[in-house]
Amino acid sequence: MAAVTAKPILFLEENQYSNFEWIGEIEDGSLLCRWEEEVLVRGPADSSGDGGPEGATSSLAFATQIAIATPDLQCTQVLYTFDKVVPVVQASVNASRTLLGFVTRRNVGEGNKYAAYVAEVAPQGGVFSLNIDCSRQIFLEFLHTEENEKPLGDSWIAKLLVFVHRESIAIYSFPLSLKDGTSWVVDDQPLTESVVRSFVWAQWEPRHNHLYYLHYRPPPEVGLTLGSCESEEDEMRPRPMLTALQFHPNKPHETVLNVPLELSGLEHSPMDLSGDYRDQGLLHTAGDAWLDLRVVTSPSGAVCICHHYIYKSRLAETPADPESCAVYLAYSVTLLHHGCVLHTVVPGVPWGHAHSALPTYSLFGDHYLLVIVPGVCMHMLDIGLDHMPNNHIVTTPPPQLLPNAQLFQICGKKVTSGRSMTFVDGVNQMLVEVRVTKESLFSLFKCSAVLSNRLAILHLASVHDKDHDLSRKLMWSVCEDPYNLDTPVLLQEYLVGETYAAVHKHIDSDAGHLISLLPITTAPFTTDTEYIESPAEENVRISYCLLENACIMLLSPRERVVRSISDTWTKLWEHTSCRHHQRFSLTDVVDKLMVSLDTYKPEALSQGSTPVSPASPLVGGLTITSLGLTLAHLMFDPLPFNEAENTTSSKLEHLLSVNLRELSMYCLKHFPHESPMRVHAVASKYVCTQLQVSRRLCSILCSSQTLVPTEKSEKGFTFIEQLEDAVATRLFTLLERYHSATEAVAFPLPQGYNSFLAYLAHRCLPHLVFMQYVQRGVLQLNVDVLREIVYDLDDTPQNVERKLEIISSVPLVRSLRALQYWQHPMSLILRSRLHAGSILAGEGPGQPRTPTQSARINAQHIQNKADCQDWGSGRQNSTRNQSDLLPPPTSMTPSRRHTPSSHSLTAFPTADRLSPFDTFLDLLTAKANLTDLDLGLLYEGTIASLEYIKPEMENELGTVRN
């Protein structure tokens, strides 16, 4: 999924530092670090001297230095040098870098003592204690706002946030004055303002000036409760509440968010953990070590509350070595913008590793949350605002990440590349760069056996990145294994995702609300999803829980202190306050088509019954240019068949019209006040794009198995005949999967595709399997396909039976047209019987002739009239006149024209008896006019019956007699 590069930090390689640690981060991305180094320390004066500076002594001793590392970690600048070793665990510096706040931790007996100080650093001056010395964790953060960064004349006020765990959060305002025109010094005692009285956990977000803290909501007052399913103990239990504060420049801060949380292990540790605090200056948090909580927000309005915890199964036995006990590593992500909680459980993690693991949560672009647990997992969670979170990428971490790594993301005011993120490994002192590249995504797609993973990668490439080249490569990878059962589902995701991306790219901005109704993915929003991870004995499980009836308090823009501002909270308010409609379901169109296509007859459906003209399948007057697609684009998507159909109204037109009607009605249902013209424009563009994307996918599948013919080479049936058997079989398998995928999501097929697929199936499938595809409606046998099949098969007895079975599987009108291309006695017999049967049943001629056919039959009759004079002279004039109208064979080749022989004259008039054939003609003329009769067809059918069927019957009778 990601290409990871880990390399040593440059300035650490060039210098030898002892006890090096990262202790803080500045808003611009620079990091605060400290180390111990031998420096020249000025000692006190000798007692025999006069006590002046000249009497002071200097000596080398280890002392603590605090420095600022550049965002690229190439070099450092020493900020403050102590005269001794000071156990600094966390620090912060103001924007002008004139004051340094730091926290020390000392071991006192069996516990630790924390203390807070502020030092002058421009230039280095005195150190002031904040008079806070306790066993609780202390955390300091300078407020970085635009007004505080600019001094007003010779005075300035620097504001410092002071966190004392489970006690208070306060703002210390330090008055600064300019001394000697060069240095800023603390002028007076700081003013203190209380912000929070008590908290369980707190986090400062320096880039957005957000303060989050977790506290207990007081239990409800004791009283009578009706219908409560909770026990009294649960009702009186304190509930955790997360509160968010927003700080403004030169304005009072405000409480913008209150949300109740259900966190595992909040009251007590889930296992026997030590009570030491986890002092990590780069986390910007203060809280218990076992309460691993993070809040990640984006300016677009996404708010993710991430909670990491571990637990052990009750049935699992504790081994002799507790470090090797297999536990469940889990984390939950509360997505306020979607109103749901995402739970992820990774089984089989050793207790020692799970206890020390520190997950990293980082926003990856606008749509993903990257979760990295070194040595355990790497997940990309789809948490964007566009749709519900249901396309997640789950994989193992790359080997470049050491199992004991603790990653902290480095980012400043500059926009971080959407494809690259930089982390610092606080344990191994490495600079780690994580890049999600096309190559890494393609490699994971090929090697992954998890359908959910592959769908998520395809969704990322087509919808979020709109990378058509990567989507094409992924489809080529799918074509390498056409027999995989997951292939149709992946093809469906490509069709839906690419269509949405194309429409979203070319739609007008004023129709953005209609875009929210279009299908975006085929992956359902299920409550439970399993991801198979090969090293694990069990599956990684991701489940969801909706935040129903959650008492979330969020300030509206009108209630804000600064109403004109546009930040995370206003975007979150806009997203949660607007009504979210369910997206259009393509399965509804599939259900409509299942009903309508049962009675669909292309031969009988008139052109005016649908709003789409078959000459131009692009509906709504749209063209390829209006979709941003030029002929140059289409040249990269050639097809091996001619995109043309001869039917009056094709199935393609019917499917497009149903899609257009259902989508338009759905949009008008959810937005009844919207302009019908705008709705029709969006629906038309979506339907047009469906056809273009379907065509593109068909071209990708065909080109993956063989060379697609150029414009000058042969296409269609000739192209199929030139394919090798193995290539034809693989191509049919892929196209059959493609056909199944389009039917599942009601997407149209290119014109000419059905004929190409049917003839391809005839060439590479056994006859029995081929007929099963035909009988179940997968293959459509039109007249062109039937003609090619008739020409392709020889007239052996077995092939004659196959031809009859194939021809009889299509409607009667199509069968008659196909029989005209079959130059065989059985074709004449069937056509003549059907013609005579329709006349006798009063249904008309059944096989109307064109004027050209009638003229040809009459001309041949006149030319060969002399051959019919010996049929009998004893007949009456009326009978003789009718026999004069009998033409010779018209549909048989000259080699198959026969003169009535001795055994064939039994059906025709003789001098001593009545003709059965003339008697049958009398019956036909009584039912229809003579002009409606195809006498030549009846004549040839009678001869064929005597010459083709009678010998077979005689042979069978002879066999019985013997």
Side-chain angles (χ1 to χ4, degrees), residues 237-255:
R237 177 172 56 89
R239 302 296 178 89
M241 177 77 71
L242 181 70
T243 301
L245 303 181
Q246 176 68 59
F247 287 81
H248 303 282
N250 204 22
K251 294 285 185 179
H253 61 272
E254 56 181 337
T255 302

Side-chain angles (χ1 to χ4, degrees), residues 358-361 370-374 377-379 397 401 407 423 434:
L358 185 64
T360 300
Y361 310 92
L370 182 64
V371 182
I372 303 177
V373 185
C377 62
M378 177 183 288
H379 299 167
L401 288 179
L407 302 180
F423 299 88
V434 178

Side-chain angles (χ1 to χ4, degrees), residues 635-884:
M635 290 179 62
F636 292 100
D637 301 321
L639 292 174
F641 50 85
N642 297 315
E643 299 180 69
E645 292 183 356
N646 298 325
T647 57
T648 304
S649 180
S650 64
K651 181 180 177 181
L652 168 64
E653 180 182 349
H654 178 70
L655 192 148
L656 290 176
S657 63
V658 174
N659 271 288
L660 177 62
R661 180 179 67 250
E662 294 297 323
L663 182 56
S664 300
M665 295 301 297
Y666 189 83
C667 293
L668 289 175
K669 176 182 177 182
H670 288 82
F671 295 99
H673 302 293
E674 185 57 69
S675 171
M677 295 298 296
R678 180 176 298 172
V679 170
H680 180 73
V682 173
S684 300
K685 184 166 293 188
Y686 183 79
V687 173
C688 293
T689 311
Q690 279 185 313
L691 180 59
Q692 295 298 328
V693 173
S694 178
R695 182 188 183 279
R696 184 193 310 160
L697 178 58
C698 184
S699 174
I700 293 174
L701 299 181
C702 294
S703 61
S704 67
Q705 300 301 314
T706 181
L707 295 177
V708 176
T710 60
E711 296 181 358
K712 297 182 180 180
S713 60
E714 296 291 340
K715 292 185 179 182
F717 301 149
T718 306
F719 175 78
I720 295 176
E721 293 173 354
Q722 298 172 355
L723 296 178
E724 299 180 359
D725 294 341
V727 176
T729 302
R730 288 176 59 89
L731 181 59
F732 170 77
T733 304
L734 270 179
L735 293 183
E736 190 270 336
R737 301 287 194 271
Y738 165 71
H739 188 277
S740 174
T742 54
E743 285 192 340
V745 292
F747 264 64
L749 294 168
Q751 292 191 35
Y753 169 83
N754 291 319
S755 302
F756 184 83
L757 180 65
Y759 189 69
L760 180 64
H762 163 70
R763 291 299 304 267
C764 63
L765 292 181
H767 177 73
L768 181 61
V769 180
F770 174 77
M771 291 307 303
Q772 290 178 356
Y773 276 95
V774 173
Q775 292 168 3
R776 284 158 178 79
V778 179
L779 301 178
Q780 297 182 11
L781 302 179
N782 55 27
V783 177
D784 296 336
V785 178
L786 292 173
R787 179 186 60 204
E788 293 296 326
I789 292 177
V790 167
Y791 290 159
D792 183 65
L793 296 177
D794 297 333
D795 289 335
T796 61
Q798 183 180 11
N799 287 341
V800 169
E801 295 181 0
R802 291 180 177 180
K803 289 182 181 181
L804 292 176
E805 185 179 4
I806 293 174
I807 293 175
S808 61
S809 64
V810 298
L812 180 60
V813 177
R814 206 181 308 169
S815 299
L816 291 174
R817 295 183 60 186
L819 288 173
Q820 292 179 357
Y821 298 103
W822 188 15
Q823 305 299 326
H824 190 270
M826 186 57 67
S827 173
L828 296 173
I829 296 171
L830 293 176
R831 289 163 54 199
S832 61
R833 288 181 178 178
L834 290 173
H835 178 57
S838 61
I839 295 294
L840 294 176
E843 298 176 356
Q847 187 177 3
R849 300 193 306 267
T850 61
T852 305
Q853 292 175 335
S854 300
R856 178 176 54 85
I857 292 174
N858 294 335
Q860 292 179 352
H861 167 65
I862 295 174
Q863 182 179 358
N864 300 281
K865 184 177 182 180
D867 300 335
C868 301
Q869 297 296 330
D870 57 348
W871 286 4
S873 58
R875 293 284 293 160
Q876 298 179 358
N877 294 334
S878 60
T879 304
R880 185 179 300 110
N881 293 336
Q882 291 180 2
S883 63
D884 290 344

